[in-house]
Amino acid sequence: MVSHKRCFIVALCSANEPRGKAHARSEWPLSQPLLRHAIAAAMMFLSSHAGADQEADYYRIISVATSQSNSDSRATNWRPGNDGPVLEVSGIAPYDDDRIAVSIRKGEVWILGGVYDDPPFQVTYHRFASALHEPLGLLRRGDDLLTVQRSELTRLRDVDGDDVADQYSTVVKGWGVTGHYHEYAYGPKADGDGNLWLTLNIGMGLKGDLLKRTRQSSLGYQQGLWRGWGLKVDQSAGGDGGRGELVPVCGGMRSPAGLGANADGDMFYTDQQGNWVATGSLHHMRAGAFFHHPESLASMDADGSTIQGVRDVPDGMPMNEALKRFPPMRPPAVWFPYKKMGQSATDIMLDASGGEFGPFAGQLFVGEFTQASINRVFLEKVGGEYQGACFPFRSGLASAVLRLMQGKDGSVFVGLTNRGWSSLGTASYGLQRLIWTGQTPFEIRTMRVRPDGFQLTFTRPVDPVTAGKPASYRFKRYTYQYHSTYGSDEIQPSELTVRSAKISNDGFTVDLVVDGLKRHFVHELDASGVRDALGKPLLHANAYYTLNRLPLDRGHSLRE
Amino acid sequence: MKKFSQPESVSEGFCEQRLIPRLRVGLGFSRKAHPERLSQRWPKRLTWNLSSVGLLALIMMSWGLAEDSVPFVSAVDRFGRHGQIDVVESGRLLISELGCVKCHASDAAMLQPKGGPSLIAAGNRLDESWVRDFIADPSGVHPGTTMPQVLDSLPVTERRKTATDIAAFLATQRQPFTEIKGSGTVAVPLKYWARGKVEAGRNLYQRIGCVACHAVDERVLTNASQRSTLDAMLDDLDEDEIEELGLAGVARPVSSVPHPNLAAKYTRQGLTHFLLDPDRVRPGGRMPNFKLTPVEAADLAGYLIDLDATDASVGRDDREQGDALAGKRAFQSLRCDACHDVGGRREGFIRGDLPRLVELRGQVLAGCLQQEHSRGPAYGLDDFQRNAIVAAIRSLDSTGVATVEQRLQHRMMQLNCYACHQRDDLGGVGRDRQAHFHTVGNIDLGDEGRLPPPLSGVGRKIRTAWMTRVLAGNKADIRPHMTIRMPKFHRVQVDELPKWFASVDSAVVLPSDPKQTNQKLVQAGRELMDVGCVQCHRFDGFALPGVVGVDLAGITGRLNREWFQAFLRDPGLLKPRTRMPNFFADGSSQDRDLLSGDPDRQIDAMWAYLSDVPEHSLPQKIQDSRRQDYELKPIDRPLLLRTFMPVAGTHAIAVGFPEGVHFAFDAERVRLATAWRGEFLDAQGTWFVRFAPPADPLGTSVIPFPTGSVFATASGQGPGSDQAEYHFDGYRLDKSGVPTFLYRHGDIKIEDRITANADGKLRRTWRLIPLAGKSRRIAFAPLSEQTCESMGDGKYVSDSGITALVKDLPPRPRGRGALVFELELNQSLTLQTVYTW
């Protein structure tokens, strides 16, 4: 089972697949590219002339490797499929021009070749590193790969050039690890200045010996050091191993399974619904901010803490009220309303392709575990703070989406694994790739708040009749309860009235005047009445804007 | 009141004689076909071969001429019409399924009505036009429905208007759909009901068991190789031979439970919610709950609606404006509320104004039973059904209280358990449907691995508490290798089944076992598992490669011990055609030595072992196989595993050597934490178990190392007291895969390399590199703080039993004390110690 070095090749389309189930399986069971493209073109033609548009018309999913396990994703004695590396992908990074590296939950890093082929008919596998403790991220830096294991941030270096790591250097460690399974550690990701970041899960229901490795704060919470915190690494001191210092930045996290920087280099993380966390959320990590989970305050009194002086944690009140009573608490930049926008947000990926991945360059894409899909986020700064809207983007991945990485051609690699929870899809784990077909879907590209409403921009010019009609847009708003129980319903819901819809000359922008905007409420838009110039409806008609701040006038600075 | 005429004797050749008021031609996919009614025309010999499916489709088409107006009650159709159950029982089934007692009261338990669907949320669930058409002509719109024609009493001119009004009234019966709760394990995408995938739904329909009752989609190809030996035998027999062998019931095709055009009837959302929770709408629970996820229900609904959407009648917009208020009045005056719940107070229905059922004994056919229907709801009964009902009513005075056996069979027939399960001579998946039942991955496990288990003697076999869980769908699925699902049933309908089974099948409950403490017995049982059980069964999720089968963990909570004993003594006796071998043929054991070869004691031992798996350790062969997958075996180079360990802590790095000596380094406290010999580690918990259990050393001679520090600056405190100054920097692997741990102690860089010697020792080499140029004194304590005995020649034995051979440093004189060397460090320095224990 465990040979130290393993390298084999799997052919997809050859009649004699060498190892049982193909590692590489594609939506395209044909090997001849011409025929394939002809069929693709025909399908595109058919789909554009018959029936409603599909996500697949615009973003194609290719399976690089997906595998079945015979076990249920929650089985105690879960077993992988009998077909090679267990690609429960937990991190993805470029390796060289043609190859990528993936970390897998089992504790290894593999270099995969042939992943850009379409279909990937000959994927190669080569083990780069092993004996890592559930690494949950992978980042390329110079010639090295960086990964966060349960107990440390590690730099993997191949010194002798044989594509096998021979140095496993500790960059930082020192956060609390009680041994509880839920204490996942994620990262690293780099911000605009090159600083490395990582996030740490809260332990759940710690008891017995696990408590010996915790600290207790004046508030009575008991957790390992920096559990529920986002930290960055200060590498200014240097050192021959690339060692750094752990710098705690912000707290209040529950299960921060994804992190990533936006185009301006600011760092964000996603959280997942649970106790204290109403629904999935996206947060801007910055010094001194507290997000929601108070057990992270076990480290409030620790050296380096950026949050001090919390004496009382409010429990059981609407979000806006809780924000007033809990000074360090900051609202999320984006809420992902439960079920509507997924059930378990994961990785954050900036589309830095400059358009190779479609019309959303500069926006963020967020993985979704339970629903095996990917969502999209548009952010703006209002009064110096980030807020914005989320939109459904692509569903139908083969398993839970844990990791996203943009490849050299703008396409996006999607790392999949659903063990321990469960998800939609047909596979237990694997790697897929999402490719823009070159067709522009009709979507709401951006959604900005205005003093009196919202401004939408679209990816294609709108039909002036439907898009100019206020009745084509329906708004409602709601907020959440801040409390120690699991998740929150949408509370204080109300319908809003759209007064007017004004279309710009180029047909790409619509200004909506909407009554009743309210701070700290999600503003849910259903624009299913809108058509484009050809009479087609939106591919996704819903958008969810998290309004924390209202601009005073139209002069506030907007940034994408 | 008119007198009933004397019932005629039950006619065997009913279908030849019957008037056929409405003929329908069945299509390839027809839920309207009742092929067995034409069994006289059954081909002399059916040749089942590769094209059997196509052949079947042809046969179904040629048989598709059937009369639709009669209500369809599965067991009556399948067993009653063929003399497999007596006519009185057929009558009782019809009475309960048609709801006779709703008007003609009776206290007889077996006659209690299934009740019609609740119409409380009909407005959201059903299409108003369809409701109108259905009320106007129930059996025309839904062939085989048990809903009677209730408008016959109205003048013909009023019927359509009344149907329109009632439909308008029901359209006002609205209630929000249940909100489905999402969770980390239940995905509920936005408007999931609108996103059903036809192909996925078709797959579910064919695989999870829908086709046990409902029509097979003949477009789906089945694996023709999945045929039972019985099937093969039947192919070679002609009809007379089949009859003679008593196999007619088995050989006969089973007609499908019909449903109407679902695309016309339901909204997608309505059908999806119905499939998710049928009990909510159907108090009778005849349609069970298949434990679908929201997305599965949407897929299934999408498929079913797509299937019917081609019908020209679907989607036509011919809604007429009905008068809801008039509809409400008609709903009450026509006694619709006898069977259907609607919102608001029930009024107008008084059951007392009609004769009780028992009062109808001996009367002539009249009212709703009359052939030329005169008054009351019209059920469209045929002669057989009419006669059966009359026979059942007449038996009301003669038969005493129904026996448990009768009630059990009756309930199983009502719920159509027989569609899947054979019990004694009745039922089981219809022969024409069996090809759609599979083992996951099409592994050959025989019929036991793909068909629902027979229920003959099941009350003797299954403990009542377990059967309750099975029927309630409470985490009781033990056959993940089957594509079919055991659905869960309405509690009210199945509450009594477990104890009825136990009573009818004479379950013998042996005294409950005390917690098994006889280790010898448990060990013997464990050994016996390897004789055969492991070849086909799983144990706590583990199995030999390629083996799929029922997991024996937990079996003692599922089975009665008495049955287990009898079954092991002779499996074929209790379960004909089972693949379970007889391990005690002729009453003697395969293993003549174990427990003196006494079969009873060996069976007791197996039971004792199985009472607590995996606490009693997995069977040896399973353990060996599991090791193939998960045990780390350093063969030609060292292996590492970073994990949680009991002694080495949450930052443990375990290193295993081909020499069979292993250690774990604690990267948190930066120390050699423990060492052992023999086998290295099992990685399963670290690799694949969500709860991240600590990894225990597998081998022997596990020794903890002293917890204190090896180094100290001599000027400071003594060794073992200044952990805080260590900083772990990782490790590097050399060409042979041996790690060198890198760390700092104050301003000294340390490279710590530990290797295994063939003689079971660990050789540890420290290389100390002072970072700053200055010279300093350090303390070196290879056994840390422990007191030890100096044995001479540089050999020291600690109180905990570790022997350290310190190389290249002046040996200490013999005697006891802490082993501390003070050294001057001004350039790189290498220190070496060999540990043994």
Side-chain angles (χ1 to χ4, degrees), chain A residues 456-480:
Chain A
L456 309 177
T457 65
F458 294 85
T459 53
R460 297 205 296 243
V462 295
D463 155 44
V465 178
T466 51
K469 217 190 293 178
S472 297
Y473 309 85
R474 290 190 315 179
F475 270 99
K476 62 178 170 186
R477 67 163 200 229
Y478 42 82
T479 187
Y480 296 103

Side-chain angles (χ1 to χ4, degrees), chain A residues 347-366:
Chain A
D347 210 5
I348 302 169
M349 185 205 85
L350 168 71
D351 176 8
S353 68
E356 281 183 295
F357 190 58
F360 308 114
Q363 299 194 6
L364 298 179
F365 290 82
V366 174

Side-chain angles (χ1 to χ4, degrees), chain A residues 1-2 4 55 70 74-80 86 88 105-108 130-134 149-152 154 160 162 165-170 173-181 184 213 240 243 273 338-341 343 369-371 392 395 419-424 486 526 540 542 544, chain B residues 179-191 195 293 295 440 538-545 547 626 628-633 637-645 647-652 666-668 684 686-692 728-735 737 742 744 749:
Chain A
M1 183 77 191
V2 186
H4 189 75
E55 288 173 343
N70 292 323
R74 286 175 74 76
T76 324
N77 285 316
W78 184 90
R79 283 199 301 186
V86 188
E88 299 180 287
R105 290 172 72 186
K106 177 186 173 188
E108 295 169 343
S130 56
L132 301 167
H133 200 186
E134 201 152 17
Q149 314 187 48
R150 279 188 176 270
S151 60
E152 64 169 51
T154 308
D160 57 10
D162 62 354
D166 27 38
Q167 273 188 11
Y168 292 65
S169 306
T170 307
K173 66 184 306 178
W175 59 79
V177 184
T178 69
H180 189 267
Y181 84 95
Y184 297 108
R213 294 173 184 269
D240 52 358
R243 284 193 305 271
Q273 190 195 52
Y338 202 63
K339 299 192 289 193
K340 301 169 181 173
M341 283 298 298
Q343 294 166 222
F369 193 98
T370 314
Q371 295 190 10
S395 57
R419 170 163 59 86
W421 289 268
S422 67
S423 74
L424 297 181
Y486 201 99
D526 177 354
H540 300 99
N542 293 101
Y544 306 83
Chain B
E179 177 137 353
I180 306 298
K181 202 169 149 40
S183 75
T185 53
V186 180
V188 188
L190 180 64
K191 294 190 180 138
R195 300 168 157 215
T293 66
V295 169
V440 172
R538 290 177 299 137
F539 290 76
D540 193 38
F542 293 103
L544 298 185
V547 167
R626 186 183 176 287
Q628 291 293 313
D629 289 339
Y630 301 122
E631 187 184 330
L632 297 179
K633 289 182 178 164
R637 46 195 291 132
L639 285 181
L640 274 67
L641 185 73
R642 207 158 172 144
T643 184
F644 298 149
M645 292 187 76
V647 173
T650 58
H651 301 238
D666 175 354
E668 183 181 30
Q684 188 219 357
T686 309
W687 287 349
F688 298 128
V689 176
R690 179 195 188 197
F691 292 102
F728 185 73
D729 286 332
Y731 56 87
R732 62 165 185 258
L733 299 170
D734 64 19
K735 287 284 175 205
L742 311 170
R744 284 160 292 142
K749 217 173 116 179

Side-chain angles (χ1 to χ4, degrees), chain A residues 411-451:
Chain A
S411 66
V412 171
F413 288 97
V414 187
L416 308 167
T417 161
N418 69 4
R419 170 163 59 86
W421 289 268
S422 67
S423 74
L424 297 181
T426 52
S428 296
Y429 52 86
L431 181 72
Q432 294 187 307
R433 189 159 71 104
L434 198 55
I435 300 176
W436 181 43
T437 61
Q439 307 292 313
T440 299
F442 182 39
E443 296 265 45
I444 303 169
R445 193 172 71 85
T446 67
M447 181 175 186
R448 293 180 172 87
V449 68
R450 295 300 194 192

Side-chain angles (χ1 to χ4, degrees), chain B residues 417-544:
Chain B
C417 304
Y418 289 109
C420 285
H421 300 283
Q422 186 176 357
R423 182 166 159 85
D424 303 327
D425 294 333
L426 292 174
V429 175
R431 188 179 170 221
D432 47 337
R433 296 161 191 276
Q434 291 188 359
H436 296 275
F437 289 73
H438 304 280
T439 308
V440 172
N442 282 321
I443 295 160
D444 176 26
L445 298 176
D447 286 352
E448 281 171 309
R450 67 186 188 102
L451 297 180
L455 299 182
S456 307
V458 73
R460 182 179 169 196
K461 174 181 178 183
I462 304 289
R463 295 173 66 150
T464 53
W466 178 254
M467 190 176 291
T468 300
R469 278 183 62 178
V470 170
L471 292 166
N474 178 12
K475 293 180 185 157
D477 294 318
I478 59 158
R479 295 184 175 88
H481 51 280
M482 288 187 181
T483 60
I484 191 177
R485 289 181 198 174
M486 171 70 187
K488 62 179 179 183
F489 287 84
H490 201 301
R491 191 180 54 79
V492 176
Q493 304 294 338
V494 296
D495 250 4
E496 294 166 302
L497 283 183
K499 66 170 195 256
W500 286 351
F501 276 119
S503 150
V504 172
D505 295 341
S506 314
V508 181
V509 179
L510 299 178
S512 65
D513 312 288
K515 169 87 181 154
Q516 195 49 249
T517 50
N518 184 340
Q519 280 310 308
K520 193 174 159 239
L521 205 61
V522 167
Q523 258 324 304
R526 179 169 172 262
E527 280 177 45
L528 285 163
M529 293 298 117
D530 282 339
V531 174
C533 312
V534 298
Q535 301 300 329
C536 297
H537 289 283
R538 290 177 299 137
F539 290 76
D540 193 38
F542 293 103
L544 298 185

